[in-house]
Amino acid sequence: MQRIAVVLMVALLAGCHSYRRMESPAPARGAQLRVELTDQGSVDITSQVGPRAANIFGRLTESSGDSLALAVTGVERRSGITEIWQGERVSLGRSSIASISRQAISWRRTSLVLAAGVAAYFLLAGIGGWEG
């Protein structure tokens, strides 16, 4: 029974996250965001993040009418490669931004992972692989 509790806790803590496009232009400070760049925006911030950036991932630290500042956790290149960052501050002009998406837990995906974990546990316990 303890192992089931561990599986449940891991699934809930890990959770499956997705990004949901925001319609309002003012996300709350501290929000985990994915900022999709325009083609010109990618060129404009080359000096901050390097060439051919498509998406910037990070925590919103500041927001004004004409810019956002993020503590960057990742940069996805147009090639599809994502680089991990350590919270470096990057400022983005609103004209550089094609869209903003906020990170949210995907309850559907988390439930599926949880169900698969519980099913695997019972399958292994049933064939003698584990004792609960």
Side-chain angles (χ1 to χ4, degrees):
M1 191 55 113
Q2 283 181 322
R3 291 192 183 177
I4 291 176
V6 170
V7 170
L8 292 174
M9 288 296 289
V10 168
L12 290 176
L13 290 174
C16 294
H17 292 89
S18 63
Y19 285 89
R20 295 197 178 109
R21 192 176 188 142
M22 296 182 62
E23 299 303 324
S24 83
R29 181 177 286 187
Q32 289 296 127
L33 303 176
R34 176 182 64 199
V35 178
E36 181 183 356
L37 301 170
T38 62
D39 290 339
Q40 185 59 47
S42 180
V43 171
D44 293 345
I45 67 163
T46 296
S47 64
Q48 293 184 76
V49 300
R52 303 190 44 80
N55 293 293
I56 308 292
F57 300 88
R59 183 179 49 82
L60 181 66
T61 58
E62 291 180 42
S63 177
S64 68
D66 60 348
S67 67
L68 296 177
L70 298 175
V72 176
T73 57
V75 175
E76 182 181 8
R77 303 287 170 196
R78 298 215 181 269
S79 64
I81 295 172
T82 300
E83 301 167 357
I84 304 299
W85 284 43
Q86 302 300 315
E88 294 87 347
R89 186 179 189 278
V90 171
S91 294
L92 304 165
R94 297 272 182 175
S95 62
S96 297
I97 299 170
S99 68
I100 300 173
S101 301
R102 183 180 178 137
Q103 187 181 48
I105 193 161
S106 171
W107 291 108
R108 181 172 181 241
R109 290 183 196 169
T110 300
S111 298
L112 290 172
V113 167
L114 182 61
V118 170
Y121 170 80
F122 283 113
L123 178 64
L124 290 173
I127 61 173
W130 284 356
E131 291 185 17

